[in-house]
PDB file of all heavy atoms in Angstrom:
ATOM      1  N   MET V1228       4.110  19.450   2.776  1.00 90.00           N
ATOM      2  CA  MET V1228       4.392  18.991   1.428  1.00 90.00           C
ATOM      3  C   MET V1228       4.650  17.486   1.398  1.00 90.00           C
ATOM      4  O   MET V1228       4.149  16.764   0.514  1.00 90.00           O
ATOM      5  CB  MET V1228       5.596  19.759   0.874  1.00 90.00           C
ATOM      6  CG  MET V1228       5.917  19.451  -0.593  1.00 90.00           C
ATOM      7  SD  MET V1228       7.071  18.041  -0.783  1.00 90.00           S
ATOM      8  CE  MET V1228       8.548  18.783  -0.099  1.00 90.00           C
ATOM      9  N   LEU V1229       5.410  16.984   2.373  1.00 87.00           N
ATOM     10  CA  LEU V1229       5.686  15.549   2.442  1.00 87.00           C
ATOM     11  C   LEU V1229       4.409  14.757   2.700  1.00 87.00           C
ATOM     12  O   LEU V1229       4.209  13.673   2.132  1.00 87.00           O
ATOM     13  CB  LEU V1229       6.711  15.262   3.543  1.00 87.00           C
ATOM     14  CG  LEU V1229       8.133  15.767   3.298  1.00 87.00           C
ATOM     15  CD1 LEU V1229       8.996  15.544   4.544  1.00 87.00           C
ATOM     16  CD2 LEU V1229       8.764  15.077   2.100  1.00 87.00           C
ATOM     17  N   LEU V1230       3.536  15.280   3.547  1.00 86.00           N
ATOM     18  CA  LEU V1230       2.276  14.597   3.821  1.00 86.00           C
ATOM     19  C   LEU V1230       1.409  14.520   2.566  1.00 86.00           C
ATOM     20  O   LEU V1230       0.746  13.497   2.330  1.00 86.00           O
ATOM     21  CB  LEU V1230       1.522  15.312   4.946  1.00 86.00           C
ATOM     22  CG  LEU V1230       2.108  15.154   6.360  1.00 86.00           C
ATOM     23  CD1 LEU V1230       1.370  16.033   7.353  1.00 86.00           C
ATOM     24  CD2 LEU V1230       2.053  13.696   6.798  1.00 86.00           C
ATOM     25  N   ARG V1231       1.410  15.563   1.759  1.00 89.00           N
ATOM     26  CA  ARG V1231       0.641  15.532   0.505  1.00 89.00           C
ATOM     27  C   ARG V1231       1.196  14.472  -0.438  1.00 89.00           C
ATOM     28  O   ARG V1231       0.440  13.731  -1.077  1.00 89.00           O
ATOM     29  CB  ARG V1231       0.657  16.915  -0.160  1.00 89.00           C
ATOM     30  CG  ARG V1231      -0.207  17.952   0.528  1.00 89.00           C
ATOM     31  CD  ARG V1231      -0.452  19.147  -0.375  1.00 89.00           C
ATOM     32  NE  ARG V1231       0.794  19.803  -0.759  1.00 89.00           N
ATOM     33  CZ  ARG V1231       1.336  20.824  -0.087  1.00 89.00           C
ATOM     34  NH1 ARG V1231       0.738  21.290   1.006  1.00 89.00           N
ATOM     35  NH2 ARG V1231       2.467  21.375  -0.505  1.00 89.00           N
ATOM     36  N   ARG V1232       2.536  14.392  -0.564  1.00 88.00           N
ATOM     37  CA  ARG V1232       3.134  13.393  -1.445  1.00 88.00           C
ATOM     38  C   ARG V1232       2.848  11.972  -0.959  1.00 88.00           C
ATOM     39  O   ARG V1232       2.539  11.082  -1.761  1.00 88.00           O
ATOM     40  CB  ARG V1232       4.639  13.618  -1.527  1.00 88.00           C
ATOM     41  CG  ARG V1232       5.041  14.878  -2.293  1.00 88.00           C
ATOM     42  CD  ARG V1232       6.533  14.944  -2.484  1.00 88.00           C
ATOM     43  NE  ARG V1232       6.955  16.115  -3.245  1.00 88.00           N
ATOM     44  CZ  ARG V1232       8.222  16.401  -3.547  1.00 88.00           C
ATOM     45  NH1 ARG V1232       9.198  15.557  -3.158  1.00 88.00           N
ATOM     46  NH2 ARG V1232       8.527  17.489  -4.233  1.00 88.00           N
ATOM     47  N   LEU V1233       2.946  11.755   0.353  1.00 82.00           N
ATOM     48  CA  LEU V1233       2.684  10.426   0.888  1.00 82.00           C
ATOM     49  C   LEU V1233       1.214  10.048   0.769  1.00 82.00           C
ATOM     50  O   LEU V1233       0.883   8.872   0.606  1.00 82.00           O
ATOM     51  CB  LEU V1233       3.142  10.350   2.347  1.00 82.00           C
ATOM     52  CG  LEU V1233       4.657  10.339   2.568  1.00 82.00           C
ATOM     53  CD1 LEU V1233       4.995  10.408   4.046  1.00 82.00           C
ATOM     54  CD2 LEU V1233       5.278   9.088   1.957  1.00 82.00           C
ATOM     55  N   GLU V1234       0.331  11.026   0.860  1.00 83.00           N
ATOM     56  CA  GLU V1234      -1.084  10.753   0.660  1.00 83.00           C
ATOM     57  C   GLU V1234      -1.353  10.308  -0.778  1.00 83.00           C
ATOM     58  O   GLU V1234      -2.181   9.436  -1.020  1.00 83.00           O
ATOM     59  CB  GLU V1234      -1.913  11.991   1.000  1.00 83.00           C
ATOM     60  CG  GLU V1234      -3.412  11.745   1.033  1.00 83.00           C
ATOM     61  CD  GLU V1234      -3.810  10.734   2.093  1.00 83.00           C
ATOM     62  OE1 GLU V1234      -3.169  10.711   3.167  1.00 83.00           O
ATOM     63  OE2 GLU V1234      -4.769   9.971   1.836  1.00 83.00           O
ATOM     64  N   LYS V1235      -0.632  10.886  -1.729  1.00 85.00           N
ATOM     65  CA  LYS V1235      -0.745  10.460  -3.117  1.00 85.00           C
ATOM     66  C   LYS V1235      -0.255   9.022  -3.277  1.00 85.00           C
ATOM     67  O   LYS V1235      -0.866   8.212  -3.999  1.00 85.00           O
ATOM     68  CB  LYS V1235       0.049  11.406  -4.019  1.00 85.00           C
ATOM     69  CG  LYS V1235      -0.095  11.111  -5.504  1.00 85.00           C
ATOM     70  CD  LYS V1235       0.669  12.129  -6.340  1.00 85.00           C
ATOM     71  CE  LYS V1235       0.522  11.827  -7.837  1.00 85.00           C
ATOM     72  NZ  LYS V1235       1.274  12.807  -8.670  1.00 85.00           N
ATOM     73  N   VAL V1236       0.854   8.688  -2.612  1.00 80.00           N
ATOM     74  CA  VAL V1236       1.357   7.319  -2.641  1.00 80.00           C
ATOM     75  C   VAL V1236       0.331   6.365  -2.046  1.00 80.00           C
ATOM     76  O   VAL V1236       0.093   5.269  -2.564  1.00 80.00           O
ATOM     77  CB  VAL V1236       2.698   7.223  -1.894  1.00 80.00           C
ATOM     78  CG1 VAL V1236       3.125   5.769  -1.744  1.00 80.00           C
ATOM     79  CG2 VAL V1236       3.775   8.014  -2.610  1.00 80.00           C
ATOM     80  N   HIS V1237      -0.278   6.791  -0.942  1.00 76.00           N
ATOM     81  CA  HIS V1237      -1.289   5.961  -0.294  1.00 76.00           C
ATOM     82  C   HIS V1237      -2.467   5.684  -1.227  1.00 76.00           C
ATOM     83  O   HIS V1237      -2.949   4.551  -1.304  1.00 76.00           O
ATOM     84  CB  HIS V1237      -1.776   6.660   0.976  1.00 76.00           C
ATOM     85  CG  HIS V1237      -2.879   5.941   1.684  1.00 76.00           C
ATOM     86  ND1 HIS V1237      -2.682   4.785   2.406  1.00 76.00           N
ATOM     87  CD2 HIS V1237      -4.212   6.204   1.764  1.00 76.00           C
ATOM     88  CE1 HIS V1237      -3.840   4.374   2.898  1.00 76.00           C
ATOM     89  NE2 HIS V1237      -4.777   5.206   2.515  1.00 76.00           N
ATOM     90  N   SER V1238      -2.923   6.698  -1.950  1.00 80.00           N
ATOM     91  CA  SER V1238      -4.040   6.503  -2.874  1.00 80.00           C
ATOM     92  C   SER V1238      -3.660   5.589  -4.032  1.00 80.00           C
ATOM     93  O   SER V1238      -4.467   4.762  -4.482  1.00 80.00           O
ATOM     94  CB  SER V1238      -4.526   7.857  -3.394  1.00 80.00           C
ATOM     95  OG  SER V1238      -3.545   8.520  -4.111  1.00 80.00           O
ATOM     96  N   GLN V1239      -2.416   5.714  -4.539  1.00 80.00           N
ATOM     97  CA  GLN V1239      -1.962   4.842  -5.609  1.00 80.00           C
ATOM     98  C   GLN V1239      -1.922   3.380  -5.162  1.00 80.00           C
ATOM     99  O   GLN V1239      -2.331   2.475  -5.892  1.00 80.00           O
ATOM    100  CB  GLN V1239      -0.593   5.291  -6.107  1.00 80.00           C
ATOM    101  CG  GLN V1239      -0.602   6.618  -6.853  1.00 80.00           C
ATOM    102  CD  GLN V1239       0.795   7.119  -7.170  1.00 80.00           C
ATOM    103  OE1 GLN V1239       1.779   6.630  -6.632  1.00 80.00           O
ATOM    104  NE2 GLN V1239       0.895   8.107  -8.059  1.00 80.00           N
ATOM    105  N   ARG V1240      -1.404   3.138  -3.954  1.00 76.00           N
ATOM    106  CA  ARG V1240      -1.364   1.769  -3.451  1.00 76.00           C
ATOM    107  C   ARG V1240      -2.755   1.225  -3.169  1.00 76.00           C
ATOM    108  O   ARG V1240      -3.011   0.026  -3.313  1.00 76.00           O
ATOM    109  CB  ARG V1240      -0.490   1.716  -2.195  1.00 76.00           C
ATOM    110  CG  ARG V1240       0.981   1.958  -2.471  1.00 76.00           C
ATOM    111  CD  ARG V1240       1.830   1.784  -1.241  1.00 76.00           C
ATOM    112  NE  ARG V1240       3.248   1.895  -1.561  1.00 76.00           N
ATOM    113  CZ  ARG V1240       4.229   1.802  -0.676  1.00 76.00           C
ATOM    114  NH1 ARG V1240       3.934   1.584   0.594  1.00 76.00           N
ATOM    115  NH2 ARG V1240       5.493   1.921  -1.055  1.00 76.00           N
ATOM    116  N   GLU V1241      -3.661   2.110  -2.769  1.00 77.00           N
ATOM    117  CA  GLU V1241      -5.026   1.684  -2.547  1.00 77.00           C
ATOM    118  C   GLU V1241      -5.659   1.211  -3.860  1.00 77.00           C
ATOM    119  O   GLU V1241      -6.412   0.232  -3.876  1.00 77.00           O
ATOM    120  CB  GLU V1241      -5.837   2.819  -1.937  1.00 77.00           C
ATOM    121  CG  GLU V1241      -7.258   2.454  -1.558  1.00 77.00           C
ATOM    122  CD  GLU V1241      -7.330   1.396  -0.485  1.00 77.00           C
ATOM    123  OE1 GLU V1241      -6.408   1.338   0.363  1.00 77.00           O
ATOM    124  OE2 GLU V1241      -8.290   0.615  -0.507  1.00 77.00           O
ATOM    125  N   GLN V1242      -5.356   1.891  -4.961  1.00 80.00           N
ATOM    126  CA  GLN V1242      -5.841   1.452  -6.261  1.00 80.00           C
ATOM    127  C   GLN V1242      -5.294   0.071  -6.620  1.00 80.00           C
ATOM    128  O   GLN V1242      -6.009  -0.777  -7.152  1.00 80.00           O
ATOM    129  CB  GLN V1242      -5.456   2.470  -7.334  1.00 80.00           C
ATOM    130  CG  GLN V1242      -6.172   3.809  -7.221  1.00 80.00           C
ATOM    131  CD  GLN V1242      -5.682   4.810  -8.249  1.00 80.00           C
ATOM    132  OE1 GLN V1242      -4.809   4.506  -9.061  1.00 80.00           O
ATOM    133  NE2 GLN V1242      -6.233   6.010  -8.216  1.00 80.00           N
ATOM    134  N   GLY V1243      -4.001  -0.159  -6.338  1.00 76.00           N
ATOM    135  CA  GLY V1243      -3.415  -1.470  -6.592  1.00 76.00           C
ATOM    136  C   GLY V1243      -4.073  -2.560  -5.763  1.00 76.00           C
ATOM    137  O   GLY V1243      -4.299  -3.677  -6.248  1.00 76.00           O
ATOM    138  N   ARG V1244      -4.388  -2.241  -4.496  1.00 72.00           N
ATOM    139  CA  ARG V1244      -5.064  -3.219  -3.638  1.00 72.00           C
ATOM    140  C   ARG V1244      -6.453  -3.553  -4.166  1.00 72.00           C
ATOM    141  O   ARG V1244      -6.875  -4.720  -4.152  1.00 72.00           O
ATOM    142  CB  ARG V1244      -5.144  -2.704  -2.199  1.00 72.00           C
ATOM    143  CG  ARG V1244      -3.923  -3.004  -1.368  1.00 72.00           C
ATOM    144  CD  ARG V1244      -4.146  -2.676   0.089  1.00 72.00           C
ATOM    145  NE  ARG V1244      -4.167  -1.273   0.311  1.00 72.00           N
ATOM    146  CZ  ARG V1244      -3.143  -0.502   0.608  1.00 72.00           C
ATOM    147  NH1 ARG V1244      -2.011  -0.998   0.707  1.00 72.00           N
ATOM    148  NH2 ARG V1244      -3.238   0.769   0.805  1.00 72.00           N
ATOM    149  N   ARG V1245      -7.190  -2.545  -4.628  1.00 77.00           N
ATOM    150  CA  ARG V1245      -8.522  -2.804  -5.175  1.00 77.00           C
ATOM    151  C   ARG V1245      -8.437  -3.666  -6.436  1.00 77.00           C
ATOM    152  O   ARG V1245      -9.295  -4.535  -6.650  1.00 77.00           O
ATOM    153  CB  ARG V1245      -9.235  -1.480  -5.473  1.00 77.00           C
ATOM    154  CG  ARG V1245      -9.698  -0.746  -4.224  1.00 77.00           C
ATOM    155  CD  ARG V1245     -10.728   0.311  -4.581  1.00 77.00           C
ATOM    156  NE  ARG V1245     -10.171   1.357  -5.427  1.00 77.00           N
ATOM    157  CZ  ARG V1245      -9.671   2.499  -4.997  1.00 77.00           C
ATOM    158  NH1 ARG V1245      -9.635   2.745  -3.677  1.00 77.00           N
ATOM    159  NH2 ARG V1245      -9.197   3.402  -5.822  1.00 77.00           N
ATOM    160  N   ALA V1246      -7.400  -3.442  -7.257  1.00 75.00           N
ATOM    161  CA  ALA V1246      -7.223  -4.267  -8.453  1.00 75.00           C
ATOM    162  C   ALA V1246      -6.940  -5.719  -8.075  1.00 75.00           C
ATOM    163  O   ALA V1246      -7.454  -6.650  -8.709  1.00 75.00           O
ATOM    164  CB  ALA V1246      -6.101  -3.705  -9.321  1.00 75.00           C
ATOM    165  N   ARG V1247      -6.125  -5.935  -7.042  1.00 69.00           N
ATOM    166  CA  ARG V1247      -5.845  -7.305  -6.596  1.00 69.00           C
ATOM    167  C   ARG V1247      -7.089  -7.961  -6.014  1.00 69.00           C
ATOM    168  O   ARG V1247      -7.311  -9.162  -6.198  1.00 69.00           O
ATOM    169  CB  ARG V1247      -4.714  -7.302  -5.560  1.00 69.00           C
ATOM    170  CG  ARG V1247      -3.357  -6.920  -6.124  1.00 69.00           C
ATOM    171  CD  ARG V1247      -2.245  -7.285  -5.161  1.00 69.00           C
ATOM    172  NE  ARG V1247      -2.321  -6.551  -3.916  1.00 69.00           N
ATOM    173  CZ  ARG V1247      -1.747  -5.384  -3.680  1.00 69.00           C
ATOM    174  NH1 ARG V1247      -1.034  -4.806  -4.643  1.00 69.00           N
ATOM    175  NH2 ARG V1247      -1.843  -4.777  -2.516  1.00 69.00           N
ATOM    176  N   GLN V1248      -7.928  -7.172  -5.328  1.00 67.00           N
ATOM    177  CA  GLN V1248      -9.153  -7.725  -4.780  1.00 67.00           C
ATOM    178  C   GLN V1248     -10.108  -8.143  -5.891  1.00 67.00           C
ATOM    179  O   GLN V1248     -10.762  -9.184  -5.788  1.00 67.00           O
ATOM    180  CB  GLN V1248      -9.813  -6.704  -3.852  1.00 67.00           C
ATOM    181  CG  GLN V1248      -9.058  -6.479  -2.542  1.00 67.00           C
ATOM    182  CD  GLN V1248      -9.658  -5.361  -1.712  1.00 67.00           C
ATOM    183  OE1 GLN V1248     -10.592  -4.679  -2.129  1.00 67.00           O
ATOM    184  NE2 GLN V1248      -9.117  -5.159  -0.510  1.00 67.00           N
ATOM    185  N   ARG V1249     -10.194  -7.340  -6.946  1.00 69.00           N
ATOM    186  CA  ARG V1249     -11.058  -7.703  -8.066  1.00 69.00           C
ATOM    187  C   ARG V1249     -10.552  -8.969  -8.753  1.00 69.00           C
ATOM    188  O   ARG V1249     -11.357  -9.779  -9.235  1.00 69.00           O
ATOM    189  CB  ARG V1249     -11.140  -6.552  -9.075  1.00 69.00           C
ATOM    190  CG  ARG V1249     -11.941  -5.353  -8.593  1.00 69.00           C
ATOM    191  CD  ARG V1249     -12.245  -4.402  -9.729  1.00 69.00           C
ATOM    192  NE  ARG V1249     -11.032  -3.859 -10.322  1.00 69.00           N
ATOM    193  CZ  ARG V1249     -10.460  -2.708  -9.947  1.00 69.00           C
ATOM    194  NH1 ARG V1249     -10.994  -1.997  -8.955  1.00 69.00           N
ATOM    195  NH2 ARG V1249      -9.361  -2.285 -10.548  1.00 69.00           N
ATOM    196  N   ALA V1250      -9.242  -9.131  -8.811  1.00 64.00           N
ATOM    197  CA  ALA V1250      -8.666 -10.326  -9.418  1.00 64.00           C
ATOM    198  C   ALA V1250      -8.605 -11.495  -8.440  1.00 64.00           C
ATOM    199  O   ALA V1250      -8.130 -12.578  -8.817  1.00 64.00           O
ATOM    200  CB  ALA V1250      -7.271 -10.030  -9.948  1.00 64.00           C
ATOM    201  N   GLU V1251      -9.095 -11.278  -7.212  1.00 66.00           N
ATOM    202  CA  GLU V1251      -9.088 -12.298  -6.169  1.00 66.00           C
ATOM    203  C   GLU V1251      -7.685 -12.838  -5.898  1.00 66.00           C
ATOM    204  O   GLU V1251      -7.478 -14.040  -5.730  1.00 66.00           O
ATOM    205  CB  GLU V1251     -10.049 -13.442  -6.521  1.00 66.00           C
ATOM    206  CG  GLU V1251     -11.501 -13.032  -6.633  1.00 66.00           C
ATOM    207  CD  GLU V1251     -12.424 -14.198  -6.894  1.00 66.00           C
ATOM    208  OE1 GLU V1251     -11.917 -15.292  -7.207  1.00 66.00           O
ATOM    209  OE2 GLU V1251     -13.649 -14.028  -6.763  1.00 66.00           O
ATOM    210  N   VAL V1252      -6.717 -11.920  -5.870  1.00 78.00           N
ATOM    211  CA  VAL V1252      -5.341 -12.266  -5.525  1.00 78.00           C
ATOM    212  C   VAL V1252      -5.079 -11.792  -4.101  1.00 78.00           C
ATOM    213  O   VAL V1252      -5.041 -10.589  -3.844  1.00 78.00           O
ATOM    214  CB  VAL V1252      -4.332 -11.625  -6.497  1.00 78.00           C
ATOM    215  CG1 VAL V1252      -2.902 -11.965  -6.078  1.00 78.00           C
ATOM    216  CG2 VAL V1252      -4.600 -12.084  -7.916  1.00 78.00           C
ATOM    217  N   PRO V1253      -4.915 -12.697  -3.141  1.00 83.00           N
ATOM    218  CA  PRO V1253      -4.713 -12.278  -1.755  1.00 83.00           C
ATOM    219  C   PRO V1253      -3.329 -11.679  -1.529  1.00 83.00           C
ATOM    220  O   PRO V1253      -2.378 -11.965  -2.262  1.00 83.00           O
ATOM    221  CB  PRO V1253      -4.886 -13.588  -0.976  1.00 83.00           C
ATOM    222  CG  PRO V1253      -4.504 -14.651  -1.946  1.00 83.00           C
ATOM    223  CD  PRO V1253      -4.919 -14.154  -3.310  1.00 83.00           C
ATOM    224  N   THR V1254      -3.225 -10.856  -0.498  1.00 86.00           N
ATOM    225  CA  THR V1254      -1.964 -10.237  -0.112  1.00 86.00           C
ATOM    226  C   THR V1254      -1.509 -10.807   1.227  1.00 86.00           C
ATOM    227  O   THR V1254      -2.276 -10.852   2.187  1.00 86.00           O
ATOM    228  CB  THR V1254      -2.109  -8.710   0.004  1.00 86.00           C
ATOM    229  OG1 THR V1254      -2.528  -8.182  -1.254  1.00 86.00           O
ATOM    230  CG2 THR V1254      -0.786  -8.074   0.388  1.00 86.00           C
ATOM    231  N   VAL V1255      -0.258 -11.242   1.264  1.00 89.00           N
ATOM    232  CA  VAL V1255       0.360 -11.782   2.473  1.00 89.00           C
ATOM    233  C   VAL V1255       1.552 -10.906   2.820  1.00 89.00           C
ATOM    234  O   VAL V1255       2.414 -10.660   1.974  1.00 89.00           O
ATOM    235  CB  VAL V1255       0.794 -13.245   2.284  1.00 89.00           C
ATOM    236  CG1 VAL V1255       1.445 -13.784   3.551  1.00 89.00           C
ATOM    237  CG2 VAL V1255      -0.401 -14.106   1.888  1.00 89.00           C
ATOM    238  N   SER V1256       1.623 -10.419   4.058  1.00 89.00           N
ATOM    239  CA  SER V1256       2.697  -9.528   4.472  1.00 89.00           C
ATOM    240  C   SER V1256       3.581 -10.211   5.505  1.00 89.00           C
ATOM    241  O   SER V1256       3.093 -10.881   6.421  1.00 89.00           O
ATOM    242  CB  SER V1256       2.133  -8.226   5.059  1.00 89.00           C
ATOM    243  OG  SER V1256       1.525  -7.446   4.070  1.00 89.00           O
ATOM    244  N   LEU V1257       4.884 -10.020   5.338  1.00 89.00           N
ATOM    245  CA  LEU V1257       5.863 -10.488   6.311  1.00 89.00           C
ATOM    246  C   LEU V1257       6.076  -9.415   7.369  1.00 89.00           C
ATOM    247  O   LEU V1257       6.406  -8.271   7.036  1.00 89.00           O
ATOM    248  CB  LEU V1257       7.194 -10.809   5.634  1.00 89.00           C
ATOM    249  CG  LEU V1257       7.213 -11.989   4.648  1.00 89.00           C
ATOM    250  CD1 LEU V1257       8.539 -12.021   3.903  1.00 89.00           C
ATOM    251  CD2 LEU V1257       6.980 -13.297   5.358  1.00 89.00           C
ATOM    252  N   VAL V1258       5.888  -9.751   8.619  1.00 88.00           N
ATOM    253  CA  VAL V1258       6.158  -8.839   9.724  1.00 88.00           C
ATOM    254  C   VAL V1258       7.022  -9.572  10.732  1.00 88.00           C
ATOM    255  O   VAL V1258       7.104 -10.801  10.735  1.00 88.00           O
ATOM    256  CB  VAL V1258       4.861  -8.334  10.395  1.00 88.00           C
ATOM    257  CG1 VAL V1258       4.019  -7.532   9.427  1.00 88.00           C
ATOM    258  CG2 VAL V1258       4.039  -9.485  10.968  1.00 88.00           C
ATOM    259  N   GLY V1259       7.671  -8.803  11.577  1.00 87.00           N
ATOM    260  CA  GLY V1259       8.511  -9.419  12.592  1.00 87.00           C
ATOM    261  C   GLY V1259       9.568  -8.464  13.093  1.00 87.00           C
ATOM    262  O   GLY V1259       9.715  -7.336  12.594  1.00 87.00           O
ATOM    263  N   TYR V1260      10.300  -8.909  14.097  1.00 85.00           N
ATOM    264  CA  TYR V1260      11.371  -8.121  14.670  1.00 85.00           C
ATOM    265  C   TYR V1260      12.501  -7.995  13.657  1.00 85.00           C
ATOM    266  O   TYR V1260      12.675  -8.851  12.790  1.00 85.00           O
ATOM    267  CB  TYR V1260      11.871  -8.773  15.953  1.00 85.00           C
ATOM    268  CG  TYR V1260      12.447  -7.808  16.956  1.00 85.00           C
ATOM    269  CD1 TYR V1260      11.616  -6.983  17.706  1.00 85.00           C
ATOM    270  CD2 TYR V1260      13.812  -7.720  17.177  1.00 85.00           C
ATOM    271  CE1 TYR V1260      12.133  -6.103  18.634  1.00 85.00           C
ATOM    272  CE2 TYR V1260      14.340  -6.849  18.099  1.00 85.00           C
ATOM    273  CZ  TYR V1260      13.496  -6.027  18.823  1.00 85.00           C
ATOM    274  OH  TYR V1260      14.017  -5.143  19.741  1.00 85.00           O
ATOM    275  N   THR V1261      13.236  -6.909  13.755  1.00 80.00           N
ATOM    276  CA  THR V1261      14.337  -6.709  12.832  1.00 80.00           C
ATOM    277  C   THR V1261      15.371  -7.818  12.948  1.00 80.00           C
ATOM    278  O   THR V1261      15.647  -8.329  14.036  1.00 80.00           O
ATOM    279  CB  THR V1261      14.996  -5.337  13.071  1.00 80.00           C
ATOM    280  OG1 THR V1261      16.079  -5.141  12.159  1.00 80.00           O
ATOM    281  CG2 THR V1261      15.508  -5.215  14.508  1.00 80.00           C
ATOM    282  N   ASN V1262      15.920  -8.223  11.811  1.00 80.00           N
ATOM    283  CA  ASN V1262      16.929  -9.273  11.707  1.00 80.00           C
ATOM    284  C   ASN V1262      16.387 -10.646  12.083  1.00 80.00           C
ATOM    285  O   ASN V1262      17.134 -11.519  12.527  1.00 80.00           O
ATOM    286  CB  ASN V1262      18.167  -8.951  12.560  1.00 80.00           C
ATOM    287  CG  ASN V1262      19.429  -9.643  12.056  1.00 80.00           C
ATOM    288  OD1 ASN V1262      19.545  -9.930  10.871  1.00 80.00           O
ATOM    289  ND2 ASN V1262      20.363  -9.926  12.952  1.00 80.00           N
ATOM    290  N   ALA V1263      15.088 -10.858  11.875  1.00 84.00           N
ATOM    291  CA  ALA V1263      14.495 -12.175  12.128  1.00 84.00           C
ATOM    292  C   ALA V1263      14.592 -13.085  10.910  1.00 84.00           C
ATOM    293  O   ALA V1263      14.290 -14.277  11.013  1.00 84.00           O
ATOM    294  CB  ALA V1263      13.035 -12.045  12.561  1.00 84.00           C
TER     295      ALA V1263
END
């Protein structure tokens, strides 16, 4: 059940990413060690 819900979240975020790509708005992600 949790996997089904998370898959729905994944598809929703994928739609948001496609909308940003159409608008040519790049995505920048912050990554790093905890407490950096």
Side-chain angles (χ1 to χ4, degrees):
M1228 185 271 292
L1229 292 174
L1230 288 173
R1231 287 196 300 268
R1232 290 187 178 180
L1233 288 174
E1234 189 62 35
K1235 185 177 180 181
V1236 172
H1237 176 74
S1238 62
Q1239 291 172 346
R1240 292 185 174 179
E1241 185 63 30
Q1242 292 176 1
R1244 274 189 287 269
R1245 287 197 296 266
R1247 292 195 296 270
Q1248 290 174 355
R1249 289 193 298 267
E1251 298 184 348
V1252 178
T1254 301
V1255 180
S1256 291
L1257 294 171
V1258 297
Y1260 208 75
T1261 180
N1262 205 28

